[in-house]
Each structure stands twice: as structure tokens, then as C-alpha cells.
Amino acid sequence: MALALQTFATVKAANAALMAAGTRYLGGGTLVIRAANEGDVSVSGLVRSTDPALSAIAVAGGKVRIGASVTMAAIARHPDLAPLAKAARAVGGPAVRNMATVGGNLFAPAPYGDFAVALLALDATVGTDDGELPIESFLAGRDNSRVIVTSVSFALPVADSFRFLKVSRIKPKGVSVLSIAGVVELTRDGTVSSARIALGCMADRPMRARAAEKALLGRSLTKDGIAPALAAASEGISPITDPIASAWYRAEVLPVHLGRLLLG
């Protein structure tokens, strides 16, 4: 069955068209086109927008705004987004990164969506024509969302505070066993003053490791200092099982890899 494609100059017009039954938004196409090719008969039409703001990256005053149509490849090569380059390069191989978009990654189900894990750690806000929403709220309600994501915004992390790790069985572009992102800030004496840790594949969408965050506060990033955080890392998780790894295995290796991330 052929798919009808409608292109609009504005996000507002594209949003209106997206209200029709069977329509899906087309960004980079790595999710929706694959679904259609695999026989998803619920998709009968595609909607896209050529609004230039969707492909813009703005960095000013320590704040970042990335349009939803910006690709992983564009993020990886942007000089002002060097802290995020590793997370962007964790998404597929070169061909996928040339197509995969920031907006699409927010909707990617586990074990995909590694960049969304990074955005959750960065406490990003998700922009739509209706305004901005904290990323945690967006992720919680994304399955019922019909509005087009226009951007993500966040504050640039303090130097050396952002960390990202992806674990996969096939290097360098395998599907995630798990992914972890963290923004950990230290006081002058080397103890943790704030921590925000996000996990991928520990639920059907990126989630916070709140118990581990709390356990890190006031501790030093040493083997003994992070031990309480590693012990608490599994609180509240519900790992997925897929052909890559079982839920049991993912839960077992989470503290190991979180430790590696924190110890650098």
C-alpha cells in the first residue's frame, strides 16, 4: 500500500494534518518508515514540515536549543556541543546518524533512544507549538502524544560534569544492552554536590535513577564513595527483555557499568 506524503511550510499546518486518522509524522524516517516497511497497516499517510526552525541549533549564554529535525550527525560535529558528541555517535552507524533526528529519538522505544537518555540527564525541556514541557513529563505521556515536537532545550553542563556510556554486544553500532547518562557536579573538596542520572533499557523508556542520585550526594567519586549509589541503582527499575539481553542480565550489569561511568 502506497503512503501519501503531505509537506507543510509550518509546524502549525503540519499539526493540523496530523490529526487525521492513520497519519504519522515523518522526521528522519528511521522509525516510521521501518514500521511501514515491516507491515504496520495503521500507517496510511505521512506528514512532514520544512520549517527552518526545526533544523536550527542555537547556543548562547550557556543555553542550547536544538530543533527537532537536527540529526545525530549534525550534533556530533557541532563545535559547541562537544559534550554531547559521544551520545550522538552512540545512535546507530553513520547512515542512521545522517537521518536520525532529535525529535524521533524521544519517541524511540527501548532498546533504542540512547540520545533521549542523555537529554533526560541534562534535564531538557521539550518544545511544541503549545509551549515547553519537562522531558520527564513528555516521556511519561509520549505514547498518547499527537503534537509535533519542535525542539529540545537545556543548559550546557559544567565542564567535565556530563558523562555518557552505552553498552552493546556488537561494536561500534550495536543495539543497547543499556545506556547511562549523568550530570554530576562536585564541590571544591571533591564531593558530589548534585547528581542527575538517567538510564536506558531499564524500563520501556528512559528513566531516572533517583535512589542512586540521592546516595551520591556528599560522597566522593571513589570506589568506596560510590558504593551506596551502586547498591541503590536497581531501585525502581523494570528492565526490558529482548533478543539482545534478558531483564535479569540488564539488572545484574547495571551497577557494574554505573560504577565505570562514575569512576571515569
Side-chain angles (χ1 to χ4, degrees):
M1 181 179 67
L3 295 177
L5 174 63
Q6 301 178 78
T7 301
F8 299 92
T10 67
V11 172
K12 183 177 181 179
N15 264 321
L18 198 60
M19 295 300 105
T23 56
R24 295 275 293 276
Y25 186 75
L26 176 65
T30 57
L31 295 176
V32 67
I33 296 300
R34 184 179 68 178
N37 287 341
E38 291 178 349
D40 186 346
V41 296
S42 69
V43 183
S44 59
L46 301 175
V47 173
R48 64 189 290 263
S49 174
T50 55
D51 190 328
L54 293 174
S55 300
I57 298 175
V59 183
K63 303 292 184 180
V64 179
R65 182 193 181 278
I66 303 176
S69 293
V70 173
T71 64
M72 297 297 110
I75 292 170
R77 64 174 176 258
H78 196 286
D80 295 327
L81 298 179
L84 289 178
K86 185 176 182 180
R89 293 192 185 104
V91 178
V96 171
R97 289 194 292 273
N98 282 334
M99 298 296 294
T101 63
V102 171
N105 207 259
L106 290 171
F107 289 92
Y112 307 104
D114 297 308
F115 195 76
V117 175
L119 291 173
L120 179 56
L122 289 165
D123 198 19
T125 57
V126 178
T128 70
D129 261 4
D130 295 330
E132 292 188 329
L133 193 67
I135 187 168
E136 286 185 78
S137 299
F138 173 82
L139 290 172
R142 72 179 184 183
D143 295 346
N144 299 317
S145 176
R146 292 289 292 173
V147 297
I148 297 170
V149 171
T150 56
S151 65
V152 293
S153 302
F154 54 89
L156 276 174
V158 175
D160 300 323
S161 65
F162 178 75
R163 303 149 187 255
F164 179 85
L165 180 144
K166 173 181 174 177
V167 180
S168 61
R169 297 185 184 275
I170 301 174
K171 309 295 184 181
K173 58 181 180 179
V175 174
S176 288
V177 171
L178 61 88
S179 55
I180 312 172
V183 177
V184 181
E185 297 184 10
L186 305 177
T187 62
R188 289 185 179 180
D189 65 3
T191 58
V192 176
S193 59
S194 67
R196 188 178 173 96
I197 299 170
L199 308 174
C201 297
M202 293 298 117
D204 65 342
R205 64 202 70 199
M207 63 168 289
R208 292 271 299 280
R210 295 185 183 276
E213 293 171 354
K214 184 177 180 180
L216 276 176
L217 296 179
R219 310 284 296 191
S220 59
L221 295 184
T222 62
K223 184 176 180 180
D224 290 338
I226 67 172
L230 303 190
S234 298
E235 290 189 26
I237 66 171
S238 181
I240 65 167
T241 290
D242 62 10
I244 304 301
S246 66
W248 174 87
Y249 180 80
R250 285 184 161 105
E252 286 294 302
V253 299
L254 171 59
V256 175
H257 293 293
L258 177 58
R260 291 174 179 172
L261 180 85
L262 294 174
L263 294 175

